[in-house]
Amino acid sequence: MNTAELVDLGQQLRVDSVRAADAAGSGHPTSSMSAADLMAVLLAHHMRYDFDRPAHPGNDRFVLSKGHASPLLYASYKAVGAIDDAELATFRGLGSRLEGHPTPRRLPWVETATGSLGQGLPVGVGIALSGKRLERTGYRVWVLCGDSELAEGSVWEAAEHAAHEHLDNLTAIVDVNRLGQRGPTRHGHDLDAYARRFQAFGWHTIEVDGHDVDAVDRAYGEAISTSGQPTVILARTFKGKGVEAVQDREGLHGKPLPDADEAIAELGGRRDLRIHVHEPPAARMLHAVRAGHLELPRWDKGAEGGVATRDAYGQALAALGTARGDVVALDGEVSDSTRAEFFAKEHPDRYFECYIAEQQMVAAAVGLAARGFVPYASTFAAFLTRAYDFVRMASVSGAGINLVGSHAGVAIGQDGPSQMGLEDLAMMRAVHGSTVLYPCDANQTAHLVGAMAGLEGVRYLRTSRGKSPVIYGPDEEFPVGGSKVLRPSDRDRLTLVAAGVTVPEALAAADALQGQGIAVRVVDLYSVKPVDRLTLRRAAEETGCLMTVEDHHEEGGLGDAVLDAFVDGRPVPRLVRLAVRTMPGSAAPDEQLHAAGIDAESIAAAARLLVEEAIVR
Amino acid sequence: MNTAELVDLGQQLRVDSVRAADAAGSGHPTSSMSAADLMAVLLAHHMRYDFDRPAHPGNDRFVLSKGHASPLLYASYKAVGAIDDAELATFRGLGSRLEGHPTPRRLPWVETATGSLGQGLPVGVGIALSGKRLERTGYRVWVLCGDSELAEGSVWEAAEHAAHEHLDNLTAIVDVNRLGQRGPTRHGHDLDAYARRFQAFGWHTIEVDGHDVDAVDRAYGEAISTSGQPTVILARTFKGKGVEAVQDREGLHGKPLPDADEAIAELGGRRDLRIHVHEPPAARMLHAVRAGHLELPRWDKGAEGGVATRDAYGQALAALGTARGDVVALDGEVSDSTRAEFFAKEHPDRYFECYIAEQQMVAAAVGLAARGFVPYASTFAAFLTRAYDFVRMASVSGAGINLVGSHAGVAIGQDGPSQMGLEDLAMMRAVHGSTVLYPCDANQTAHLVGAMAGLEGVRYLRTSRGKSPVIYGPDEEFPVGGSKVLRPSDRDRLTLVAAGVTVPEALAAADALQGQGIAVRVVDLYSVKPVDRLTLRRAAEETGCLMTVEDHHEEGGLGDAVLDAFVDGRPVPRLVRLAVRTMPGSAAPDEQLHAAGIDAESIAAAARLLVEEAIVR
């Protein structure tokens, strides 16, 4: 396209953005209008993409980090012929694929869900990592960012990661329209301010007038020809560009234009230009990949000294990596603690060190998952809280990622509460479509690590620091959604529901109670979500009372999880909840469990009290 | 102190760090040894602090961002005479004040809990903001950071915030010992790499040999004399400095020295130097402050068109700011949506714009709370997930902060799932000692905003985007931990437990059911944590079944919260849970509530089904 045609195309994208928001009665046309020329030139001249084959391995990848500018994205889809004008008018309507913020659940051309700002670039880095280090089909990753979102620290985690990995296949395009939602950004139109920051982080920077299509064209060319480092194009633009009533004005974020017809006229009226996007080069799918036989590590039941579930995780993950070429691992600079180092040692080509940047770690996992890989990302359970917004958005994306939190609970001992995951089960359970697993021994851990690879959505595995007895044999099965009933009898007066470190404690308590003539059974609820409804209901019927014991705060964890079996109006058993109710300090692991009232002695004492007070039958 | 004495003092701090970790059998002596000279010079020559009066308003403030270097902190406390040698030996023991990572819950000289890396500088910025903009007693804030933690995006949110606010009372000291936990950092000893980044963000930078006490001394002097911008001192150091067996070696993070006696001998043996820290200048407490009569906004019951609870929040907060000089507000660039703008307009001196940097917003709130202010920090409920690690650590600190999440739930409508807080209740409930409030009308909101100011710990208020009917009069009381029973009768067959946007839906459902001869009562559970146990138990006894209805994912929210009333072994009523079980798309608010099955029609249908199937009596 020549200059005039590109200018015209930009105007068309503006017109269609205005029309979409007008039809919806909501949306962000002014944020779309600022970036319209950037998008027009990218699609017409530089991006290589087959809209009929979004899975083509040679396709470039585009991420709209400023997801609220979805009208521009959908106007672009129309211009390339991927959707028609009638569908554009469904924007933001019930059942429409054209949501307020784009998601890959509904649209095949969307790589990742955006709408929480500062996430597009981090995920784009993950995709670019895949392209550069794993797929190597030569595709480029283009991420269109807003200027406001550069205030998010996650952007700088991404900037650091991209430069460190020399991702010259990645281009960030920043639509510097100087206005955020409630007013001007910190730096306004000072492109140099942003350039200094990106340069300091090791990026190639280009400053450009974002409405000068020829200059933008040259900028993309320069980005493509830059090697050894990622490029950011900092484009000076105007929010609401092209319509006097809204251009560069405050107070108009996220609002349809006051007079759409007048605006469309001012923009030169409707057009129907069609963009012919460059074909991607021929490329083959890397990860139809080998999927060999999985040889999980095995431990003997009762193995001396026990085995830490984090050790079992590391070994099982390494084995899984041997069996499957699509398994990758990431860690946040604690691989010696989480034991991701076992994988890193055996499969260094598929291991991604993310340093202490948990948001970037999860985002990179989402990017790798978008490219068909099966990522396992690990850090301390406590520090996954740092990335909760990314976990939440992974669920909106429908991304299949495995998250592994080690050093969970007060059982870590001396390091104290800052290092104890005590909210992780609540956090992960509340994620839509998630799976939450909390194994108590090495063989169980290994089986669950293998099973996670085949699940959908966000999968979370909680591991422990200290050694645990190996209570199951290596051939035992542990289906997700299942549980293990330990030592049941028909005289059981109570069911102890435990998981992870509280399973051995519950078993010891059951032994002690047995000695006092009180029979109780133990359910190992290793699958916290989904829970084993049938087993819990049977236990409820047979014993009448469930006592949950968990190394987690009392809200949202195991105690709440058992309720999932009883919220359909059926009779609910009596419930007793033992959990961490106070703020721990430093102490040895056994002292911590005792102080929290979740060790064998505390469990037995609580159970005896119920019997003595005739609360249980 | 002269050079030799400072060197000697550094060695003493190393020796005592080694001794503390040796006594504990765990801890981080090597991370302490790298920063010992930095700490010695700071305390001996530059910091102004009265250890007998930690609340002195003129005291400088010190934050150990690399909280794992706690042995160095405690060795320093010993050197200034704040603790004795016997207490030093209690390090990491049960009941000791000297926890693995320092917390202000136990030690009066600690400003904020650290141990989750990348949080000390962000909180330090909050304290420096207080010093610069509110207290103005001239104190300085010193933050000792590790180099590894500079990978956290939160550090760059803080860097941006500090420079933008010209916090020349803030000095970051980075102990660049080049080694993280599992190996070298990205930049090793390349001080320039860090300097470029901080300079780009607007900081004054000083590079120094962190073991040259005279150079360090000059660096502190330069930091103090720098005006208009914050300073970072980048200090080249060696992990384990001074002991050949551990100095600058990998694999020794977080471990006591292999031979403590030998190491102590190599460091020149035990010493008992005493540091005489400079007295703080005379200063007066700013915020004994005026606390006037609170005139909350009032709305007439049934006011036409209803009122959005976010509007009530903004107006009540502005009123609270008028009554109390210690109330401050922060927002993440969405004050026009959260309505924090009402406060900003009336009290611009106490309003802090944090732009789109939620971690920094919460951290700044923690810093302001550490200085005695009562902060209210707001953004969309969804985006508070970004700051969960900071919320968790606020609880470890025992910080009193108010967090306000607007635009909660599917009820926001067209913007779609990225903008919907659907995990926030779970996330906030799981925080130790938290309070979680979810008002349904304007008067209730206003009362709760006022009540929050007087609570302890982390307080969360969930507000809604759309208008809600005003169902309570302005003089109604809403105690925290209470609830409202609406339309009870002795024929009620079911209790609908609702909060926020589902209260009007539940009331409409109750009306419809009434018309069909089915009496149900509605409990408005505006206090989600703590819950009103007595009322829920009475409803259970009188109606036998509780149906919870919430605009939140089904895990960890209202449905789980009611269980708090029944986990002591008492009989549990039948329970039915209506919640958001699918991933929403875009649609109008009423369509969203219907699609999620939580609108009046869905509630009534579910209740009728229970009656027809004789599940409820």
Side-chain angles (χ1 to χ4, degrees):
Chain A
M1 283 185 170
N2 62 30
T3 303
E5 286 167 328
L6 287 172
V7 168
D8 226 28
L9 178 57
Q11 293 295 77
Q12 171 177 318
L13 297 180
R14 288 188 179 91
V15 167
D16 283 344
S17 296
V18 169
R19 292 174 59 230
D22 193 57
S26 69
H28 299 74
T30 58
S31 304
S32 299
M33 293 159 82
S34 56
D37 301 313
L38 296 168
M39 198 72 185
V41 178
L42 178 65
L43 284 170
H45 284 185
H46 298 280
M47 192 156 161
R48 297 176 303 175
Y49 196 91
D50 183 342
F51 276 87
D52 292 327
R53 296 160 68 204
H56 191 299
N59 276 344
D60 280 358
R61 302 288 152 189
F62 177 78
V63 175
L64 183 71
S65 190
K66 49 178 293 184
H68 54 286
S70 57
L72 174 61
L73 186 69
Y74 306 147
S76 302
Y77 288 164
K78 185 194 143 191
V80 300
I83 66 170
D84 61 21
D85 201 64
E87 184 165 7
L88 187 65
T90 68
F91 179 51
R92 287 175 163 248
L94 178 65
S96 172
R97 296 195 295 176
L98 309 185
E99 295 180 83
H101 297 77
T103 77
R105 284 177 176 267
R106 307 231 176 171
L107 288 168
W109 317 290
V110 173
E111 308 295 334
T112 188
T114 51
S116 179
L117 290 168
Q119 298 212 5
L121 190 60
V123 174
V125 168
I127 298 172
L129 272 174
S130 176
K132 189 95 183 164
R133 284 185 44 182
L134 302 174
E135 298 179 85
R136 300 203 193 100
T137 56
Y139 65 72
R140 297 195 62 76
V141 181
W142 308 92
V143 181
L144 179 58
C145 302
D147 47 353
S148 268
E149 66 176 315
L150 302 188
E152 287 284 11
S154 56
V155 168
W156 302 101
E157 293 182 12
E160 187 81 348
H161 197 189
H164 185 72
E165 298 271 357
H166 306 289
L167 299 180
D168 50 16
N169 58 338
L170 173 69
T171 306
I173 308 148
V174 186
D175 176 27
V176 185
N177 67 22
R178 107 174 166 82
L179 289 174
Q181 169 176 322
R182 58 72 271 160
T185 61
R186 274 197 183 106
H187 302 295
H189 268 145
D190 181 1
L191 299 188
D192 290 349
Y194 298 115
R196 280 194 300 275
R197 287 161 173 75
F198 275 102
Q199 282 162 15
F201 276 74
W203 286 53
H204 179 61
T205 65
I206 304 171
E207 299 180 35
V208 71
D209 174 348
H211 301 308
D212 177 341
V213 291
D214 292 322
V216 169
D217 204 15
R218 286 191 300 273
Y220 286 133
E222 183 176 331
I224 290 171
S225 65
T226 298
S227 69
Q229 63 184 153
T231 295
V232 59
I233 297 171
L234 297 158
R236 186 175 192 273
T237 63
F238 291 105
K239 203 160 176 172
K241 166 74 178 175
V243 175
E244 174 63 24
V246 299
Q247 181 173 318
D248 201 32
R249 288 180 199 269
E250 294 188 33
L252 296 169
H253 181 92
K255 291 175 184 162
L257 264 55
D259 187 329
D261 289 338
E262 198 179 310
I264 291 165
E266 190 176 343
L267 291 164
R270 288 181 57 178
R271 295 167 182 78
D272 200 15
L273 296 172
R274 183 67 174 272
I275 311 175
H276 298 283
V277 178
H278 290 296
E279 285 286 304
R284 75 188 171 81
M285 295 287 276
L286 174 74
H287 42 273
V289 286
R290 62 201 151 94
H293 176 67
L294 173 58
E295 280 274 13
L296 286 175
R298 300 166 65 87
W299 289 270
D300 291 336
K301 204 164 155 172
E304 204 182 320
V307 179
T309 55
R310 60 175 169 145
D311 284 320
Y313 165 67
Q315 291 187 47
L317 185 63
L320 188 65
T322 301
R324 294 179 60 145
D326 57 353
V327 167
V328 299
L330 310 90
D331 194 272
E333 220 274 315
V334 289
S335 57
D336 52 336
S337 287
T338 60
R339 306 304 199 216
E341 65 181 0
F342 298 159
F343 183 98
K345 201 164 287 178
E346 292 194 31
H347 313 289
D349 51 319
R350 281 180 278 140
Y351 176 74
F352 298 86
E353 176 56 59
C354 297
Y355 297 88
I356 309 184
E358 295 80 8
Q359 296 184 90
Q360 180 55 34
M361 178 182 74
V362 174
V366 170
L368 288 158
R371 299 305 308 133
F373 291 95
V374 180
Y376 284 72
S378 52
T379 182
F380 284 26
F383 305 141
L384 284 171
T385 55
R386 197 64 155 257
Y388 195 26
D389 196 27
F390 287 78
V391 177
R392 178 182 78 83
M393 288 299 295
S395 157
V396 174
S397 279
I401 59 170
N402 302 285
L403 301 173
V404 180
S406 73
H407 292 65
V410 300
I412 64 163
Q414 289 86 348
D415 273 329
S418 65
Q419 318 292 300
M420 295 169 173
L422 289 168
E423 307 82 3
D424 56 323
L425 296 177
M427 167 173 94
M428 294 298 184
R429 278 183 69 236
V431 171
H432 175 71
S434 65
T435 301
V436 179
L437 305 170
Y438 182 18
C440 68
D441 94 341
N443 287 312
Q444 193 179 56
T445 304
H447 279 270
L448 294 175
V449 170
M452 287 169 84
L455 303 176
E456 304 276 313
V458 173
R459 293 87 84 163
Y460 175 58
L461 182 82
R462 185 185 219 220
T463 66
S464 301
R465 176 174 180 271
K467 292 187 175 179
S468 311
V470 180
I471 64 172
Y472 300 110
D475 296 315
E476 188 100 21
E477 304 269 332
F478 302 98
V480 171
S483 66
K484 289 287 171 187
V485 183
L486 304 170
R487 309 189 190 171
S489 80
D490 51 16
R491 293 164 295 105
D492 292 337
R493 300 171 74 173
L494 183 69
T495 301
L496 301 176
V497 182
V501 297
T502 62
V503 171
E505 301 297 329
L507 289 172
D511 287 345
L513 290 164
Q514 187 69 44
Q516 294 160 32
I518 304 170
V520 305
R521 75 180 56 170
V522 175
V523 172
D524 170 8
L525 202 71
Y526 61 83
S527 181
V528 178
K529 180 185 174 186
V531 294
D532 183 350
R533 290 184 168 81
L534 293 181
T535 296
L536 290 173
R537 288 170 186 168
R538 193 176 321 121
E541 282 159 24
E542 294 175 4
T543 74
C545 181
L546 307 182
M547 180 187 289
T548 56
V549 193
E550 62 191 305
D551 191 359
H552 184 274
H553 285 152
E554 56 186 319
E555 300 87 1
L558 206 62
D560 283 356
V562 299
L563 199 59
D564 290 348
F566 303 100
V567 285
D568 56 357
R570 72 181 58 229
V572 185
R574 289 174 191 258
L575 296 165
V576 178
R577 183 192 287 165
L578 304 187
V580 180
R581 292 172 201 275
T582 55
M583 180 59 68
S586 285
D590 56 339
E591 292 170 336
Q592 296 277 17
L593 291 176
H594 187 67
I598 55 172
D599 65 342
E601 189 182 328
S602 306
I603 298 167
R608 258 195 321 274
L609 191 71
L610 292 173
V611 171
E612 281 161 11
E613 298 198 351
I615 289 170
V616 297
R617 57 200 175 186
Chain B
M1 284 186 170
N2 61 30
T3 303
E5 286 168 329
L6 288 172
V7 168
D8 226 27
L9 178 58
Q11 293 294 76
Q12 171 176 319
L13 297 180
R14 289 189 178 92
V15 166
D16 284 344
S17 296
V18 169
R19 290 175 60 231
D22 192 58
S26 69
H28 299 73
T30 58
S31 304
S32 298
M33 293 159 83
S34 56
D37 301 312
L38 297 168
M39 198 72 186
V41 178
L42 179 66
L43 284 169
H45 284 185
H46 298 281
M47 191 155 161
R48 298 176 302 176
Y49 197 90
D50 184 342
F51 277 87
D52 292 327
R53 296 160 68 203
H56 192 299
N59 277 343
D60 280 358
R61 302 288 152 189
F62 176 78
V63 175
L64 183 70
S65 189
K66 48 179 293 185
H68 55 287
S70 57
L72 174 62
L73 186 69
Y74 305 146
S76 302
Y77 289 165
K78 184 195 142 190
V80 302
I83 66 170
D84 61 21
D85 200 64
E87 184 165 8
L88 187 66
T90 68
F91 178 49
R92 287 175 162 247
L94 178 65
S96 172
R97 296 194 294 176
L98 309 185
E99 295 180 81
H101 297 78
T103 78
R105 283 176 177 266
R106 307 230 175 170
L107 288 168
W109 316 290
V110 173
E111 308 295 333
T112 187
T114 50
S116 179
L117 290 168
Q119 298 211 6
L121 189 61
V123 174
V125 169
I127 298 172
L129 273 173
S130 175
K132 188 95 183 167
R133 285 184 45 181
L134 301 174
E135 298 179 86
R136 300 203 193 100
T137 57
Y139 65 72
R140 298 194 61 77
V141 181
W142 307 91
V143 181
L144 179 58
C145 302
D147 48 353
S148 267
E149 65 177 315
L150 302 187
E152 287 284 12
S154 56
V155 169
W156 301 102
E157 293 181 13
E160 186 83 347
H161 198 187
H164 185 73
E165 297 272 358
H166 306 288
L167 299 180
D168 50 16
N169 58 338
L170 173 68
T171 305
I173 308 148
V174 186
D175 175 27
V176 185
N177 66 22
R178 111 178 161 79
L179 290 175
Q181 170 176 322
R182 61 68 274 160
T185 60
R186 276 200 182 104
H187 302 295
H189 267 144
D190 182 2
L191 299 187
D192 290 349
Y194 297 115
R196 280 194 300 274
R197 286 160 172 76
F198 275 102
Q199 282 163 14
F201 276 75
W203 286 54
H204 179 62
T205 65
I206 304 170
E207 299 179 35
V208 69
D209 173 348
H211 301 308
D212 176 342
V213 291
D214 292 322
V216 169
D217 204 16
R218 287 191 299 273
Y220 286 132
E222 184 177 331
I224 290 169
S225 64
T226 297
S227 70
Q229 63 185 152
T231 295
V232 58
I233 296 171
L234 298 159
R236 185 175 192 273
T237 62
F238 291 105
K239 204 159 175 172
K241 166 74 179 174
V243 175
E244 173 64 24
V246 298
Q247 181 173 320
D248 201 32
R249 290 180 198 269
E250 294 187 33
L252 296 168
H253 180 92
K255 293 175 183 160
L257 265 56
D259 188 329
D261 289 338
E262 198 180 309
I264 292 164
E266 191 176 342
L267 291 164
R270 288 182 57 178
R271 294 167 183 76
D272 200 15
L273 296 172
R274 184 65 175 271
I275 310 174
H276 298 283
V277 178
H278 290 297
E279 284 286 302
R284 76 187 171 80
M285 293 288 276
L286 174 75
H287 42 272
V289 286
R290 61 200 150 94
H293 175 67
L294 173 58
E295 281 275 10
L296 285 175
R298 300 167 65 87
W299 289 271
D300 290 336
K301 203 164 156 172
E304 203 182 321
V307 179
T309 54
R310 60 175 171 146
D311 284 320
Y313 166 68
Q315 292 187 48
L317 185 64
L320 188 65
T322 301
R324 294 180 60 145
D326 57 352
V327 166
V328 299
L330 310 90
D331 193 90
E333 221 275 314
V334 288
S335 58
D336 52 336
S337 288
T338 60
R339 305 307 199 216
E341 66 181 1
F342 297 160
F343 182 99
K345 201 165 287 178
E346 291 194 31
H347 313 289
D349 51 319
R350 281 180 278 140
Y351 176 74
F352 298 85
E353 176 57 59
C354 297
Y355 296 88
I356 308 185
E358 295 80 8
Q359 296 185 89
Q360 181 54 33
M361 178 181 75
V362 174
V366 171
L368 287 158
R371 299 304 310 132
F373 290 95
V374 180
Y376 285 71
S378 52
T379 182
F380 283 26
F383 304 141
L384 284 171
T385 56
R386 198 63 155 256
Y388 194 27
D389 197 26
F390 287 78
V391 177
R392 178 182 77 84
M393 288 299 295
S395 157
V396 174
S397 278
I401 59 171
N402 302 284
L403 301 173
V404 181
S406 73
H407 292 65
V410 301
I412 64 163
Q414 290 85 349
D415 272 329
S418 65
Q419 320 292 300
M420 294 170 174
L422 288 168
E423 307 81 3
D424 55 322
L425 296 177
M427 168 173 93
M428 295 298 184
R429 278 183 68 238
V431 171
H432 176 71
S434 66
T435 301
V436 179
L437 305 169
Y438 183 18
C440 69
D441 95 340
N443 287 314
Q444 192 179 56
T445 304
H447 280 269
L448 293 175
V449 170
M452 287 169 84
L455 303 176
E456 303 278 312
V458 173
R459 294 87 84 161
Y460 175 58
L461 182 82
R462 187 186 218 221
T463 67
S464 302
R465 176 174 180 270
K467 291 186 176 180
S468 312
V470 179
I471 64 172
Y472 300 110
D475 296 315
E476 189 100 23
E477 304 270 330
F478 302 97
V480 171
S483 66
K484 289 287 171 189
V485 183
L486 305 171
R487 309 189 192 171
S489 81
D490 50 18
R491 293 164 295 104
D492 293 337
R493 301 171 72 172
L494 182 70
T495 301
L496 301 176
V497 182
V501 296
T502 62
V503 170
E505 301 297 329
L507 289 172
D511 287 345
L513 290 164
Q514 186 70 45
Q516 294 159 31
I518 303 170
V520 306
R521 76 180 55 170
V522 175
V523 172
D524 170 8
L525 202 72
Y526 62 83
S527 180
V528 178
K529 180 183 174 187
V531 293
D532 183 350
R533 290 185 170 79
L534 292 181
T535 296
L536 290 174
R537 289 170 185 169
R538 193 176 323 119
E541 282 159 24
E542 293 175 5
T543 74
C545 182
L546 307 182
M547 180 187 288
T548 55
V549 193
E550 60 191 306
D551 191 359
H552 184 274
H553 285 154
E554 55 186 320
E555 300 88 359
L558 206 62
D560 283 356
V562 298
L563 198 59
D564 291 348
F566 303 100
V567 285
D568 57 356
R570 72 181 58 230
V572 186
R574 289 174 192 259
L575 296 164
V576 179
R577 182 192 287 165
L578 304 186
V580 180
R581 291 172 202 275
T582 55
M583 179 59 68
S586 285
D590 56 339
E591 292 170 335
Q592 296 277 17
L593 291 175
H594 187 68
I598 55 173
D599 65 341
E601 190 182 327
S602 307
I603 298 167
R608 257 196 321 275
L609 190 71
L610 291 173
V611 171
E612 281 162 12
E613 297 199 353
I615 289 171
V616 298
R617 58 199 175 187

